[in-house]
């Protein structure tokens, strides 16, 4: 990050691009300075251990001091700004150190001699080398709304002979060969965004931010105009895809293949940008997952295999990880929080995504065939909300197996099931993954076969204070963990965890 010392901190995401993208000019965004311009300078770190603590550099403060003249700190050729401070490339540690010290200290000294308030001079090392500090600086998000505003803006015209202006930002993109990579690193992204913003601003047109807070301050980004129904981003993608592992050896005969039909369009609608799944999109473009993640793993994918990339519960870009994040919603968390810790994975849960198809060599190579096959599988799937025969569920169940100090607890079974069903209403994902009979029962009866008459809790959890494990505590602990835990995860305040008599009355 040290290499950022003179960067005009413009936005890699160009977040606030106030262009007349939607037919009508917009005013420049007034940015608030809440520490988002604080840049940590640690460039020499790549040459070895630092001699002094990292430098705290307030970029917007310096931009104001030089009256917005980028050339005071950066090389400017036409409208192109070089991100590095007073240089175009990193050479040696000694040379870079000299560039910073000679120029920064000289500027401070000259400013001080001119009778103006200035920064630290020679010998005041600790003032700049003050070490890390908390900052309101956050990474910008280039969502579908911002993308559309750039794509449709009259101030970002298409190159000569091209219909779309994609290559204005995605420099390697060509109509005959799509390559939507944006920048190799932060410096390059700042240079591209800053140069474009400056060019438009010089033409006296509404432009994007030229201060750090314009892109790196969340409170400022929240004020940007949002296009509610931005058109779909076009990257040559299909509506459906059939995901399958590449065979080790080409086969002459049709073989049984475990594949995943994937609704690409539906997933696009649920996410803000392509980088949610294609997490290296800015540097590598939109490439297939299998390009980096193979069955054995390879260096380009950090040796993360296909299986790990798709099934890691903690990874944001994995299928299972993304679905698990969706289950954090209050209406889902009551069941899924505990199922994630104690529930057993079954073959049935795998087949909700994976299907076995007999595929010949032609299908393996035929993109259109894969798309049509995936679409056909999706069309055959049920799309209606899960149906549970509520009338067959007991309205109330008395739990008195542990009744001693308290009376038997009257459990409103039917009411609870109805509440769970209400939380899943009109949710396509919930409708599909809970479509099997009695699937919702697994929220409480987590290790029992899905059934309208599951075995009683005491059949697994013993009454006595036996050995406790998180997966299989004694019966009293199991009841309390399940009931109180569900209320907590779903945000149900009453009854409170300490209000014992609200669930089971005290004996008189």
């Amino acid at each position: 990050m040290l290499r950022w010392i003179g960067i005009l901190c413009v936005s890699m995401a160009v977040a606030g691009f106030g262009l007349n993208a939607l037919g009508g000019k917009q005013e420049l965004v007034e940015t608030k300075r809440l520490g988002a311009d604080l840049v940590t300078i640690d460039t020499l770190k790549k040459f070895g251990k630092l001699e002094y603590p990292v430098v705290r550099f307030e970029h917007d403060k310096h931009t104001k001091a030089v009256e917005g003249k980028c050339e005071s700190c950066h090389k400017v050729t036409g409208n192109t700004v070089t991100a590095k401070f007073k240089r175009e490339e990193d050479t040696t540690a000694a040379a870079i150190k000299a560039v910073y010290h000679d120029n920064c200290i000289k500027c401070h000294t000259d400013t001080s001699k001119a009778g103006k308030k200035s920064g630290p001079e020679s010998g005041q090392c600790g003032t700049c080398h003050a070490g890390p500090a908390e900052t309101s600086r956050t990474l910008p998000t280039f969502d579908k709304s911002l993308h559309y505003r750039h794509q449709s803006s009259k101030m970002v015209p298409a190159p000569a002979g091209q219909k779309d202006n994609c290559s204005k930002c995605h420099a390697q993109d060509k109509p005959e060969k799509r390559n939507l990579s944006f920048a190799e690193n932060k410096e390059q992204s700042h240079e591209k965004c800053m140069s474009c913003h400056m060019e438009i601003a010089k033409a006296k047109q509404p432009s994007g931010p030229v201060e750090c807070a314009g892109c790196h301050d969340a409170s400022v980004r929240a004020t940007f105009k949002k296009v509610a129904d931005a058109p779909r981003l076009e990257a040559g993608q299909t509506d459906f895809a059939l995901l399958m592992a590449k065979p080790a050896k080409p086969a002459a005969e049709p073989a049984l293949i475990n594949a995943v039909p994937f609704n690409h369009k539906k997933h696009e609608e649920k996410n803000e940008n392509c980088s949610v799944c294609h997490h290296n999109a800015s540097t590598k473009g939109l490439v297939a997952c299998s390009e980096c993640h193979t069955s054995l793993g390879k260096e380009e994918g950090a040796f993360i295999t296909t299986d790990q990339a798709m099934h890691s519960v903690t990874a944001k870009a994995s299928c299972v990880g993304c679905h698990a994040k969706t289950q954090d919603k209050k209406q889902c968390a009551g069941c899924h929080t505990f199922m994630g810790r104690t529930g057993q994975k079954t073959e049935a849960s795998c087949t909700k995504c994976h299907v076995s198809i007999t595929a010949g060599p032609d299908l393996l190579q035929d993109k259109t065939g894969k798309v049509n096959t995936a679409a056909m599988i999706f069309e055959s799937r049920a799309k209606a909300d899960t149906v549970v025969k509520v009338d067959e569920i007991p309205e109330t169940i008395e739990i008195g197996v542990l009744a001693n100090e308290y009376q038997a607890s009257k459990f409103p079974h039917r009411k609870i099931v109805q509440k769970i069903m209400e939380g899943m209403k009109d949710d396509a994902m919930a409708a599909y993954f809970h479509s099997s009979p009695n699937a919702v029962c697994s929220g409480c009866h987590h290790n029992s076969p899905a059934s309208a008459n599951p075995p009683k809790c005491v059949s697994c959890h013993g009454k006595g204070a036996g050995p406790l494990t998180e997966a299989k505590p004694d019966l009293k602990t199991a009841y309390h963990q399940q009931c109180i835990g569900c209320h907590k995860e779903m945000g149900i305040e009453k009854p409170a965890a300490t209000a014992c008599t609200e669930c089971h009355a005290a004996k008189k």
Side-chain angles (χ1 to χ4, degrees), residues 43-76:
T43 305
L44 299 184
K45 203 171 186 178
K46 65 182 180 182
F47 294 100
K49 187 176 179 180
L50 295 176
E51 185 178 356
Y52 291 94
V54 297
V55 172
R56 299 178 186 177
F57 183 78
E58 295 179 83
H59 193 278
D60 288 346
K61 179 186 288 187
H62 285 74
T63 302
K64 184 178 181 180
V66 298
E67 299 177 343
K69 297 176 181 177
C70 304
E71 59 271 19
S72 300
C73 299
H74 306 276
K75 180 177 180 180
V76 180

Side-chain angles (χ1 to χ4, degrees), residues 14 32 64 95 100 108-109 202 204 258 388 412 423 490-491 500:
V14 202
K32 299 178 181 178
K64 184 178 181 180
Y100 282 117
H108 290 177
T109 302
K202 283 183 178 180
K204 306 298 183 182
N258 196 245
V388 174
M490 294 185 73
C500 305

Side-chain angles (χ1 to χ4, degrees), residues 224-282:
F224 297 152
K225 182 176 181 178
K226 199 86 170 176
V227 181
D229 298 312
R232 185 183 186 188
L233 303 181
E234 293 298 336
Q237 74 275 40
T238 57
D239 290 353
F240 297 94
L242 191 65
L243 309 180
M244 59 179 73
K246 294 181 179 179
K249 296 180 180 179
E253 299 295 328
L256 190 66
I257 293 179
N258 196 245
V260 176
F262 182 71
N263 190 330
H264 196 279
K265 184 178 181 181
K266 183 63 68 176
H267 283 76
E268 285 181 55
E269 293 171 358
K270 296 291 184 180
N271 293 294
E272 284 298 316
N273 54 50
C274 305
S275 297
V276 172
C277 297
H278 300 276
H279 51 94
N280 286 328
S282 61

Side-chain angles (χ1 to χ4, degrees), residues 56-357:
R56 299 178 186 177
F57 183 78
E58 295 179 83
H59 193 278
D60 288 346
K61 179 186 288 187
H62 285 74
T63 302
K64 184 178 181 180
V66 298
E67 299 177 343
K69 297 176 181 177
C70 304
E71 59 271 19
S72 300
C73 299
H74 306 276
K75 180 177 180 180
V76 180
T77 305
N79 290 314
T80 302
V81 183
T82 301
K84 294 181 184 295
F85 174 69
K86 291 289 187 180
R87 67 193 191 284
E88 292 186 348
E89 59 181 348
D90 293 338
T91 51
T92 65
I96 296 171
K97 181 178 179 180
V99 168
Y100 282 117
H101 284 178
D102 292 348
N103 288 280
C104 294
I105 294 174
K106 183 179 184 303
C107 183
H108 290 177
T109 302
D110 290 346
T111 303
S112 182
K113 285 180 179 179
K116 298 178 181 179
K117 186 178 180 181
S118 183
E121 299 179 35
S122 182
Q124 298 176 301
C125 308
T127 308
C128 288
H129 291 275
E134 291 187 4
T135 172
S136 62
R137 185 185 188 86
T138 58
L139 291 175
T141 301
F142 198 80
D143 58 20
K144 289 182 282 192
S145 172
L146 276 172
H147 190 282
Y148 173 67
R149 293 176 67 184
H150 285 73
Q151 182 185 19
S152 59
S153 173
K154 296 177 181 178
M155 298 310 300
V156 188
Q162 294 187 22
K163 179 182 177 182
D164 301 314
N165 62 357
C166 302
S167 60
K168 181 73 175 179
C169 298
H170 306 284
Q172 300 181 58
D173 187 51
K174 295 180 175 59
E176 65 275 12
K177 186 176 181 181
R178 306 308 307 266
N179 184 338
L180 298 177
S181 57
F182 174 67
E184 294 181 1
N185 50 49
K186 295 175 183 177
E187 289 177 353
Q188 191 179 98
S189 64
H190 278 83
E191 288 176 358
K192 293 176 72 170
C193 297
M194 180 62 180
S195 299
C196 187
H197 288 189
M198 287 180 58
E199 181 179 2
I200 295 173
K202 283 183 178 180
K204 306 298 183 182
Q205 295 294 325
S207 180
V210 293
E211 294 181 341
C212 302
C215 296
H216 293 284
D217 190 313
S219 63
V220 175
R221 294 199 305 270
T223 66
F224 297 152
K225 182 176 181 178
K226 199 86 170 176
V227 181
D229 298 312
R232 185 183 186 188
L233 303 181
E234 293 298 336
Q237 74 275 40
T238 57
D239 290 353
F240 297 94
L242 191 65
L243 309 180
M244 59 179 73
K246 294 181 179 179
K249 296 180 180 179
E253 299 295 328
L256 190 66
I257 293 179
N258 196 245
V260 176
F262 182 71
N263 190 330
H264 196 279
K265 184 178 181 181
K266 183 63 68 176
H267 283 76
E268 285 181 55
E269 293 171 358
K270 296 291 184 180
N271 293 294
E272 284 298 316
N273 54 50
C274 305
S275 297
V276 172
C277 297
H278 300 276
H279 51 94
N280 286 328
S282 61
T283 56
K284 296 181 181 296
L286 299 177
V287 298
C289 305
S290 57
E291 291 293 316
C292 296
H293 303 294
T294 62
S295 58
L296 298 177
K298 63 179 183 178
E299 187 175 359
E300 292 88 333
F303 295 101
I304 296 173
T305 65
T306 308
D307 177 62
Q308 293 168 332
M310 300 299 183
H311 298 95
S312 173
V313 178
T314 56
K316 294 180 181 178
S318 84
C319 302
V320 174
C322 185
H323 287 185
K325 187 65 179 175
T326 302
Q327 293 164 0
D328 287 343
K329 294 186 295 186
K330 285 186 178 181
Q331 62 264 40
C332 306
C335 294
H336 286 282
T337 297
F338 288 92
M339 289 180 67
R341 293 204 298 259
T342 63
Q344 297 175 349
K345 300 296 182 183
T346 64
E347 185 177 343
S349 64
C350 299
T351 56
K352 295 299 287 187
C353 294
H354 294 268
V355 297
S356 296
I357 61 173

Side-chain angles (χ1 to χ4, degrees), residues 270 383-386 421-431:
K270 296 291 184 180
K383 301 176 181 62
D385 283 337
T386 302
M421 299 303 299
E422 181 184 325
M424 295 190 296
K425 185 174 176 58
D426 299 327
D427 188 317
M429 183 174 172

